[in-house]
Amino acid sequence: MKNWELIAPCHFGLEAVLKKEIIDLGYDVVQVEDGRVTFIGDEEAVCSANVFLRTAERILLKAGEFTATTYDELFEATKAIAWEEYIPMDGKFWVAKAASVKSQLFSPSDIQSIMKKAMVERLKTVYHCGWFEETGASYPLRVFLHKDVVTVGIDTTGQSLHKRGYRKLTAKAPIAENLAASLIMLTPWRGDRILVDPFCGSGTFPIEAAMMAIHMAPGMYRSFLAEQWNNLIAKKEWNAAKEEARDLIDWDVKTDIQGYDIDEKMIATARENAKLAGVEEYIHFQKRDVSALSHPKKYGFIITNPPYGERLEEKQTVGELYRTLGERYRQLDSWSLYMITSYERAQEEFGKKADKNRKIYNGMLKTYFYQYQGPKPPRRESRQNHE
């Protein structure tokens, strides 16, 4: 099998989590940059990465990288890429997205049109035709320009990897599934420990946690663009990756994962999403105000995405929410708490400075992941939990 360079974009600030995931899958990471990780893999890797990675946005097959400071240089360098190795004569191809940072070429629409023309010129010469029907499989490009270096990737994924396929219904400000998974993976939580989300909304944190607990791959129930790439990836590779995902699920796992929300409609939504994900029996959802947050057991985890106070109806009450959360947390004296928020007074209203915090960009919104680390459970209890 031929090895390619594969690029996995992710949320800014979570590159280390994705890097570990890729290494755990068995692939060699060659570069970590802001918002993306590059690794080496063959056609099996394309399938496995799409099916198993929880924290990536998508998987791109790197077609080329070059420097361009003028549109002529962009055209010629794009034309020099051996597009015929990737795109068949009937393939549909276009530059789906172009992003430019600190580069002399900065117009996405101009970059897109010039690169498309260059690809057509190259393929016209190779396939000896003047027109492409583009009726076959899709090969969309995603292009990054950073300090005049142009990185060209072909998207193998299609709809972003955060779309697992289970979230048909959402809250007003849902957290993306891959971001929720990344944040859970930044904590010491494991499937045999207690997890509570007191602002669960449409249920993303509890659902992602339950999927981790039973070892359910995030992409096993969805399709990917490159499944149609018969010229590059054999169908048997996709079948093998999804079969492996099915074999790895442990349906007998016992969990204590709970999601609360004050809105009864959100609880109904969360239950429906958990059902669609196939993990409803591993999560207890309940209508409950944060003021009633409690648990009889020790050494649990609160992992949550509380309101940020961005919307008008939240501005008056958001400070009180954080104060109440802080008060309830102090009653859970052996617990750990992790919350992502852009609310600037979060620590002040919560009543305690975080042990750690991490800056993470949730789209264009700068947020912080505040980490309040409780004591580790006694060694004996920990050992029993893992037996």
Side-chain angles (χ1 to χ4, degrees):
M1 287 188 188
K2 183 177 179 179
N3 273 342
W4 296 303
E5 278 190 80
L6 302 172
I7 304 168
C10 64
H11 284 86
F12 281 86
L14 294 170
E15 298 83 3
V17 185
L18 175 55
K19 178 185 176 182
K20 183 179 185 303
E21 264 205 294
I22 292 168
I23 291 169
D24 288 348
L25 266 185
Y27 301 111
D28 293 329
V29 170
V30 294
Q31 193 172 19
V32 179
E33 303 163 271
D34 285 347
R36 66 183 194 262
V37 179
T38 302
F39 62 105
I40 303 296
D42 54 14
E43 57 186 281
E44 179 188 279
V46 172
C47 304
S48 292
N50 273 299
V51 171
F52 287 100
L53 290 179
R54 298 184 190 278
T55 63
E57 292 279 349
R58 59 186 66 249
I59 306 300
L60 307 175
L61 194 166
K62 186 174 175 181
E65 190 168 83
F66 52 83
T67 300
T69 57
T70 68
Y71 286 116
D72 283 343
E73 289 175 352
L74 179 68
F75 182 91
E76 293 301 331
T78 302
K79 187 179 173 184
I81 294 172
W83 293 109
E84 64 276 8
E85 292 182 7
Y86 308 105
I87 303 170
M89 190 170 178
D90 67 345
K92 182 180 180 182
F93 58 96
W94 72 102
V95 182
K97 185 174 182 182
S100 178
V101 177
K102 298 178 182 175
S103 297
Q104 293 185 54
L105 305 180
F106 55 82
S107 166
S109 59
D110 289 340
I111 293 164
Q112 289 168 300
S113 62
I114 285 165
M115 291 186 74
K116 168 76 178 191
K117 287 175 186 174
M119 294 170 74
V120 169
E121 287 304 308
R122 168 81 185 206
L123 293 175
K124 275 166 64 174
T125 305
V126 173
Y127 291 130
H128 307 291
C129 67
W131 179 259
F132 294 97
E133 295 288 342
E134 299 194 46
T135 55
S138 294
Y139 299 79
L141 267 63
R142 288 188 168 243
V143 181
F144 312 97
L145 283 77
H146 183 245
K147 295 182 179 177
D148 300 321
V149 175
V150 184
T151 304
V152 185
I154 311 174
D155 183 14
T156 73
T157 303
Q159 200 171 48
S160 173
L161 287 177
H162 82 267
K163 293 186 180 292
R164 319 295 204 208
Y166 66 75
R167 198 164 72 179
K168 306 299 183 188
L169 305 163
T170 63
K172 287 180 183 175
I175 189 166
E177 293 89 328
N178 60 337
L179 177 54
S182 300
L183 297 178
I184 295 169
M185 292 166 78
L186 279 174
T187 78
W189 179 83
R190 295 296 177 266
D192 56 359
R193 304 283 294 278
I194 303 159
L195 187 151
V196 174
D197 180 359
F199 302 99
C200 73
S202 53
T204 310
F205 271 127
I207 292 169
E208 289 294 320
M211 290 171 71
M212 290 181 196
I214 69 171
H215 310 294
M216 178 185 282
M220 64 178 290
Y221 292 129
R222 55 159 290 175
S223 61
F224 304 97
L225 203 58
E227 288 184 66
Q228 308 304 316
W229 294 4
N230 298 325
N231 61 319
L232 292 177
I233 302 172
K235 191 70 178 173
K236 67 178 182 179
E237 297 296 344
W238 290 105
N239 293 337
K242 291 186 178 183
E243 185 177 348
E244 181 185 358
R246 286 191 291 271
D247 290 345
L248 285 172
I249 297 176
D250 183 354
W251 298 109
D252 297 326
V253 165
K254 304 296 183 192
T255 64
D256 188 347
I257 299 171
Q258 302 182 30
Y260 308 142
D261 202 281
I262 195 171
D263 186 341
E264 189 130 24
K265 288 182 181 176
M266 278 295 99
I267 292 299
T269 294
R271 286 191 182 121
E272 181 62 22
N273 287 337
K275 185 177 180 181
L276 290 167
V279 294
E280 72 271 27
E281 67 184 271
Y282 303 97
I283 309 168
H284 174 68
F285 288 111
Q286 183 181 354
K287 181 190 174 187
R288 185 187 287 196
D289 189 89
V290 66
S291 62
L293 174 62
S294 64
H295 199 288
K297 294 183 180 177
K298 288 182 171 287
Y299 307 110
F301 287 76
I302 296 166
I303 305 178
T304 193
N305 175 39
Y308 299 172
E310 299 283 324
R311 294 191 295 273
L312 282 173
E313 66 267 29
E314 293 173 353
K315 289 189 184 296
Q316 302 301 318
T317 59
V318 69
E320 186 181 336
L321 275 179
Y322 285 82
R323 285 193 295 277
T324 303
L325 179 61
E327 288 164 9
R328 297 315 304 161
Y329 175 59
R330 284 187 282 280
Q331 302 303 310
L332 297 164
D333 60 349
S334 63
W335 280 50
S336 300
L337 182 144
Y338 299 81
M339 64 177 169
I340 181 171
T341 181
S342 67
Y343 180 50
E344 292 181 358
R345 291 172 54 83
Q347 292 180 99
E348 187 178 338
E349 298 288 11
F350 187 79
K352 185 181 179 184
K353 191 171 186 291
D355 298 309
K356 290 183 181 178
N357 76 60
R358 189 183 189 113
K359 188 193 298 181
I360 293 163
Y361 280 88
N362 185 0
M364 298 302 292
L365 186 65
K366 182 173 73 174
T367 64
Y368 287 92
F369 189 48
Y370 295 105
Q371 303 166 56
Y372 296 87
Q373 297 165 334
K376 291 181 181 179
R379 186 178 295 274
R380 182 178 172 189
E381 180 185 332
S382 180
R383 186 166 62 244
Q384 286 174 343
N385 280 342
H386 287 84
E387 283 175 357

